Amino acid sequence: MTTQDQPAVSPPADTSLANRYGGQKRPLSRAAKRGIVLAALAAGVGFLAWSSTSSATGGVSFKDIGFSTVDATQAEIDFQVVRDPGTAVKCAVKALDSKFAVVGWKVVDIPVGAADKTADGGRTVAQRVAVRTESPSVSGVVDSCWVPGSGK
């Protein structure tokens, strides 16, 4: 084989990292670092302010109080609902078995006039709801509460 039959070989490319990926980047200046930290801090404070005011003014909250099994086909669930006075509310409650499967479900209406004579002017309403179950339950909880017609 002669040198004329061999393919031309290009010279090896420079494999230094600077040629491949570019030179070193300049570090951020002290003022830029301070600006980023202040912007992140302002965003965090803004988010906390928004989340605390939106949950305080936003309609309905609930708290599970207790549960009892009446028999294999019925459970009683006790809970409290906090809502704006004069606001009707619906709550979905469920009874669960030992494997956390839903064995009973009920949507409860809490009308406007419920508990208007409470110390907080009718904001807090205590409820006891009987729920039919298809098998013995070991727990009962409120799944959700909402103001009807508000899109939940």
Side-chain angles (χ1 to χ4, degrees):
M1 203 159 134
T2 64
T3 57
Q4 294 174 348
D5 295 336
Q6 292 179 351
V9 177
S10 61
D14 187 5
T15 57
S16 73
L17 292 177
N19 285 339
R20 183 176 290 180
Y21 299 110
Q24 281 189 324
K25 295 188 179 3
R26 295 186 340 232
L28 288 175
S29 69
R30 191 171 181 169
K33 288 179 187 177
R34 184 177 295 140
I36 291 171
V37 168
L38 288 175
L41 184 62
V45 169
F47 175 75
L48 288 175
W50 172 77
S51 65
S52 65
T53 58
S54 67
S55 65
T57 61
V60 182
S61 64
F62 58 88
K63 179 179 180 184
D64 294 320
I65 301 297
F67 165 82
S68 63
T69 300
V70 177
D71 58 29
T73 62
Q74 187 174 3
E76 288 183 343
I77 302 167
D78 297 321
F79 62 98
Q80 287 181 339
V81 177
V82 179
R83 38 102 187 188
D84 293 331
T87 303
V89 174
K90 289 186 179 245
C91 292
V93 294
K94 60 185 177 181
L96 307 170
D97 68 5
S98 60
K99 296 179 181 175
F100 302 106
V102 176
V103 294
W105 180 274
K106 186 174 187 177
V107 175
V108 181
D109 290 318
I110 302 172
V112 172
D116 282 338
K117 295 179 181 170
T118 60
D120 64 355
R123 286 186 58 81
T124 304
V125 180
Q127 292 288 305
R128 173 171 283 169
V129 177
V131 178
R132 290 189 169 272
T133 60
E134 61 187 33
S135 63
S137 60
V138 298
S139 179
V141 296
V142 177
D143 184 67
S144 61
C145 291
W146 64 94
V147 176
S150 68
K152 204 171 185 180

